[in-house]
DNA sequence: CATAGTTTTCATTATTTATTGAAACTTAAA
DNA sequence: TTTAAGTTTCAATAAATAATGAAAACTATG
């Protein structure tokens, strides 16, 4: 099975973007390939399709599984493992988002917390601590918010997303309502 | 000027996180250092503080400026350039967010648009196009949304952020109101 | 306009990260 | 069991990325 020119371009683009999205080129390509391929693929098909080594695919699969982006499937009477995207595009985007939060925000939040609870010993530390407090508060707000979004039902999310420029209005509205009593 | 142990730990952490945040180790360190240092710093002070070469600092400054994270200041009677964070922590987070969107989302959106307007030639391309359409729609929604958030006044944002679990309620509320007429 | 203080550039070198492929491992079926 | 189809591991190698530092380029000032 060979990719059409357009599909190949998409897969290569995913590779180029891979490192920006949090993984590396090969893994980006694998992800793109599995998304645009209707049927689940074997590791060998992936290796052939992308002209990379079998070992590399094996490692890539492990990584994609750690991101919960792909799932394994089996075909009766066939010993090979078949791989396919784990869920909808939306699901996958969510996973990437979550996983990145875990890698990009949580460690910093943890360090900041540790640092903030200790007392500052001089002016430099005092100033630094104020700054860290600000970063901490910001990250915590973002964290709470994203957790909140995850908790909304898909319908509510849809509704929220479609709100667009209506957000401001709804907020004003809410303020008016809540301030009355 | 030497960093206290705690401040040093913070700066090193910024370095380790640097690549996750979209730049590299040195630039992460520079950013952290400038944030926790009250006074603007010269390039040489930065180089000394982080034990890196002067040339590296120069490149880092250029990069941080391209992210609009630092600004230059001058002291009368002193020819050196002094660097300081450009704005509040909130401002900086916003810049990083914007800049990353530009690098991580916009190029893909553009490729997807190009790909979607062309007609598919066979089943494989048809399926791929459907998937790309989904990714496109998702990214576009996210893009619109973040633009929307940028447009809100800081007070509205505060209000929205503090809403937390109230989001669901406000949404339900809005639905009721809007559906009445 | 010459100079000294300062910043930038970029070829070279060092470091980090990714890839290969052969060997080791796993496992279903004979 | 043994075998063979399939997968994983990991030491060696290749590729990409970052850092150095000396030379070039600026630029205020006398």
């Amino acid at each position: 099975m060979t990719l059409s020119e357009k599909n190949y371009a998409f897969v290569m683009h995913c590779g180029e973007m891979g490192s920006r999205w949090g993984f590396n080129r090969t893994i980006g390509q694998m992800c793109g390939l599995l998304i645009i391929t209707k049927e689940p693929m074997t590791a060998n098909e992936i290796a052939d399709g992308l002209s990379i080594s079998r070992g590399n695919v094996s490692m890539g699969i492990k990584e994609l599984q750690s991101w919960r982006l792909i799932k394994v499937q089996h075909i009766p009477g066939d010993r090979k493992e078949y791989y396919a995207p784990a869920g909808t595009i939306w699901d996958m985007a969510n996973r990437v988002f979550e996983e990145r939060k875990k890698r990009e925000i949580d460690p910093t939040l943890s360090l900041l917390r540790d640092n903030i609870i200790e007392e500052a010993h001089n002016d430099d530390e005092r100033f630094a601590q104020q700054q860290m407090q600000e970063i901490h508060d910001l990250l915590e707000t973002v964290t709470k918010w994203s957790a909140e979004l995850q908790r909304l039902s898909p319908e509510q999310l849809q509704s929220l997303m479609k709100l667009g420029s209506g957000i401001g209005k709804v907020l004003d509205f809410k303020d008016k309502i809540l301030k009355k009593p």
Side-chain angles (χ1 to χ4, degrees), chain A:
Chain A
M1 176 265 202
T2 319
L3 286 169
S4 76
E5 196 187 338
K6 271 149 67 175
N7 288 356
Y8 182 76
F10 171 75
V11 171
M12 288 304 115
H13 175 85
C14 290
E16 281 146 31
M17 299 302 287
S19 58
R20 297 195 184 285
W21 280 93
F23 16 80
N24 68 31
R25 182 164 28 125
T26 304
I27 291 174
Q29 290 175 351
M30 289 177 59
C31 197
L33 178 61
L34 287 172
I35 285 174
I36 58 160
T37 302
K38 197 168 192 173
E39 301 301 323
M41 300 180 79
T42 64
N44 279 320
E45 285 170 346
I46 297 172
D48 290 352
L50 301 175
S51 310
I52 58 177
S53 75
R54 185 60 228 305
N56 202 358
V57 171
S58 183
M59 291 189 299
I61 286 167
K62 212 169 60 174
E63 181 76 2
L64 283 170
Q65 280 172 332
S66 90
W67 285 74
R68 291 172 302 153
L69 291 174
I70 60 172
K71 64 182 175 191
V72 187
Q73 291 187 332
H74 284 100
I75 292 182
D78 188 339
R79 279 176 64 180
K80 291 189 286 297
E81 319 223 81
Y82 287 78
Y83 301 95
T88 64
I89 298 292
W90 173 263
D91 292 331
M92 294 178 87
N94 247 301
R95 301 271 166 70
V96 172
F97 191 72
E98 259 180 70
E99 201 64 35
R100 283 178 69 169
K101 177 189 155 296
K102 214 181 286 172
R103 297 169 189 221
E104 298 174 5
I105 297 188
D106 293 355
T108 302
L109 214 36
S110 157
L111 175 114
L112 291 173
R113 264 197 265 277
D114 291 350
N115 211 317
I116 287 167
I117 51 172
E118 285 190 43
E119 206 185 340
H121 295 104
N122 56 53
D123 272 5
D124 285 347
E125 287 196 353
R126 228 158 350 253
F127 178 80
Q129 245 185 19
Q130 283 167 21
Q131 296 290 82
M132 291 189 211
Q133 182 77 55
E134 280 205 39
I135 301 174
H136 172 271
D137 293 350
L138 175 67
L139 294 185
E140 197 152 69
T141 305
V142 171
T143 297
K144 273 188 190 156
W145 234 72
S146 69
E148 195 49 47
L149 288 181
Q150 306 262 5
R151 203 166 299 124
L152 292 180
S153 71
E155 295 76 39
Q156 283 180 312
L157 255 177
Q158 277 291 68
S159 172
L160 189 60
M161 286 298 176
K162 280 183 185 151
L163 213 51
S165 64
I167 292 176
K169 283 171 205 154
V170 172
L171 274 177
D172 294 345
F173 195 60
K174 170 220 136 216
D175 283 346
K176 275 183 210 142
I177 300 301
L178 296 189
K179 273 175 190 159
K180 260 181 188 167

